[in-house]
Amino acid sequence: MTEAVVVKDASAGLAHSSFAEITAKRRGVLRRYLYQHARVMDAVVAASYALLVAPTMVDAILQGAWLAAALLLAVAGALLFRRSYPVALAAFAAVMEVAVTLLHPWGSNVSAGLWFSLYAVAVVHSRRFALVSMAAATAPLALLYLLAAVGPMENSFVHDAASHPGDFHLLTSIAAGATIALSNVIATGMGISVRQRREHEQEVAAWVARTASLASVNERNRIAREMHDVVAHSLTVMVSLSDGAAVVVRKSPDRAGEVLGELSRTGRTALADMRRVLGVLRDDAGTAPRQPLASGDSLANLLAGFRTAGLPVYCSHTGPALPDDAAFQLTVYRIVQESLTNVLRYGRSLGRVEVSIVRDSSTVTIEVLDDGAGAAGPGTPDGGGPGSGNTGPGSTGSGQGLAGMAERAGIYAGTVEAGRRGRGWRVRAVLNWPADDLPDPDPIPQLQGRV
């Protein structure tokens, strides 16, 4: 049975955990503790409500309104379930507030239960639902104070109506109703703000995870290109050197020794490159070198190795030197390496292989042209001539070589073209580099590095 378990990318998981750690640190010690212990936070809310209505409860008990005190305790207990049933809690608190106001009209902070419940509704539900819930929960108590001001319940909420001016009860009712409505609006707005902030944090965390996953994919592609270049080049050269050593060992033992020495050096270089690439995969602490190795004189060593393997390579460099950038030089190195590897694997009856590197202002052109007959068939870009694949006649490459060169060139807004040119095969790559490090222009173009 096929396992259908989705495994989260390691880099994305690390990025997500790092973002969560940053968010947790920003909350502070107390907020972080309450955020991680939801039930403790609910108990704090219930205790805060009980503390706010404690004077009303004591006053109600002293006046014999035991039922009002019991209803306030019921609201405090219901606040423990504000996360599980926020809408039901808001409806219950709205009904209890009206009942407590009718039983004991002179209480204070009675509507605090509705503040906490409306906040819980706004945090969980959408903005429209939160606003509708606020209006529905505020309407009964507002209507009650309106009736107490101008309706049949006039003077009901005034403790001593005879000792106050005639309009005192009107002002008192209006002020109380407006205060309760404004408090509910503030509580709902705070909940909406918290919900939006949490949604924003989730979006940022998702973006961080996607970015880390994309970076991981790019890194894996880069490592795959490096492994392909190292393995394909090294094995091809080592096979050619081994075949050559087997031919010349009887005729010229000294020459065979040189060939075997080059074979050993090629193998050691390939082993070092593979260790460097694999070290990035195995290193969890991030201490392995991740910067590309500068080509420098290694391009000349590369050409010398191909000559030792029997490839008649001639190289020319026209224009200023290559940019002093390790990544750019490595791109040039890998393109030349892959092209010559394909020639060595597929070229037949080779008389001359030309490698041309031309820098004109911000453009660097690399061209590898051979005059031999490649593998039969002009079909596949990596097979109908020099390519990466099997070495038998008529074989077709896998296409990874040209694809890797195109990806490398694309980093520098370049292109790669490959195809037959007469009897041979030509690879032409164009790279672009900002002309900020060019030396002073020389009015007389010179041909440099002719081999």
Side-chain angles (χ1 to χ4, degrees):
M1 183 176 63
T2 304
E3 184 179 3
V5 179
V6 180
V7 181
K8 190 175 184 180
D9 187 82
S11 300
L14 291 175
H16 187 274
S17 61
S18 301
F19 180 79
E21 291 176 358
I22 294 174
T23 304
K25 290 181 180 179
R26 184 172 54 85
R27 290 193 179 101
V29 178
L30 181 59
R31 289 184 58 199
R32 184 165 61 249
Y33 177 82
L34 295 177
Y35 182 82
Q36 296 173 353
H37 300 81
R39 292 304 178 187
V40 176
M41 184 62 193
D42 293 339
V44 170
V45 171
S48 301
Y49 173 77
L51 183 62
L52 289 173
V53 300
T56 302
M57 293 175 59
V58 173
D59 188 53
I61 293 173
L62 293 178
Q63 295 187 16
W66 291 89
L67 182 56
L71 294 179
L72 292 175
L73 285 177
V75 174
L79 286 173
L80 295 174
F81 304 96
R82 67 189 187 96
R83 298 178 187 270
S84 303
Y85 310 100
V87 179
L89 174 62
F92 177 76
V95 174
M96 291 301 102
E97 284 187 2
V98 174
V100 171
T101 303
L102 291 174
L103 294 173
H104 190 70
W106 310 287
S108 60
N109 297 325
V110 177
S111 61
L114 198 54
W115 305 343
F116 294 118
S117 59
L118 289 176
Y119 171 85
V121 171
V123 168
V124 176
H125 295 279
S126 64
R127 179 189 305 178
R128 178 179 300 178
F129 187 88
L131 294 176
V132 172
S133 300
M134 178 203 66
T138 307
L141 197 58
L143 180 60
L144 181 63
Y145 277 98
L146 178 62
L147 295 176
V150 297
M153 298 177 61
E154 188 175 355
N155 296 333
S156 298
F157 295 166
V158 181
H159 192 67
D160 188 4
S163 60
H164 293 87
D167 58 350
F168 176 78
H169 67 284
L170 176 61
L171 298 176
T172 303
S173 300
I174 293 176
T179 302
I180 293 174
L182 181 61
S183 301
N184 293 342
V185 171
I186 293 175
T188 305
M190 291 176 62
I192 293 174
S193 176
V194 170
R195 174 182 172 83
Q196 291 178 343
R197 186 178 72 247
R198 291 178 181 177
E199 290 177 347
H200 175 70
E201 292 177 355
Q202 293 175 356
E203 292 174 356
V204 172
W207 175 83
V208 170
R210 289 194 302 269
T211 303
S213 178
L214 180 61
S216 178
V217 171
N218 292 335
E219 183 68 9
R220 286 197 297 267
N221 291 337
R222 186 187 69 83
I223 293 174
R225 289 196 304 267
E226 290 290 326
M227 291 295 295
H228 172 271
D229 293 342
V230 170
V231 173
H233 159 71
S234 301
L235 292 182
T236 300
V237 173
M238 291 172 68
V239 169
S240 299
L241 291 174
S242 300
D243 294 341
V247 172
V248 302
V249 64
R250 298 179 181 179
K251 300 180 180 180
S252 177
D254 295 338
R255 176 61 177 167
E258 295 178 1
V259 174
L260 292 176
E262 182 64 25
L263 175 64
S264 176
R265 286 191 294 271
T266 302
R268 294 178 186 275
T269 301
L271 184 60
D273 289 342
M274 292 183 65
R275 285 176 177 173
R276 176 178 62 85
V277 174
L278 295 178
V280 176
L281 297 177
R282 296 175 178 173
D283 180 45
D284 295 332
T287 57
R290 296 174 181 267
Q291 296 297 327
L293 299 179
S295 61
D297 298 334
S298 59
L299 185 60
N301 296 332
L302 175 69
L303 299 177
F306 277 106
R307 293 191 187 98
T308 305
L311 207 61
V313 181
Y314 297 86
C315 178
S316 63
H317 186 148
T318 305
L322 293 177
D324 189 16
D325 181 80
F328 189 90
Q329 293 184 4
L330 181 62
T331 299
V332 175
Y333 179 92
R334 292 302 189 194
I335 291 176
V336 174
Q337 181 188 57
E338 177 65 25
S339 301
L340 293 178
T341 300
N342 293 339
V343 173
L344 185 61
R345 296 181 68 181
Y346 291 97
R348 301 293 183 270
S349 304
L350 294 172
R352 184 182 182 89
V353 179
E354 296 183 356
V355 177
S356 173
I357 301 176
V358 179
R359 184 179 185 186
D360 182 11
S361 183
S362 61
T363 302
V364 176
T365 304
I366 307 163
E367 186 171 288
V368 178
L369 175 64
D370 67 87
D371 61 353
T380 310
D382 206 10
S388 298
N390 301 323
T391 57
S395 60
T396 302
S398 64
Q400 297 297 324
L402 284 179
M405 287 191 289
E407 290 176 359
R408 292 181 183 277
I411 298 176
Y412 298 97
T415 58
V416 174
E417 300 175 358
R420 288 194 178 277
R421 183 74 175 269
R423 295 181 61 252
W425 189 267
R426 186 190 73 160
V427 175
R428 185 174 186 272
V430 178
L431 309 178
N432 295 287
W433 180 261
D436 53 356
D437 62 339
L438 288 175
D440 294 335
D442 191 347
I444 304 178
Q446 298 181 358
L447 187 63
Q448 304 175 359
R450 172 71 70 177
V451 180

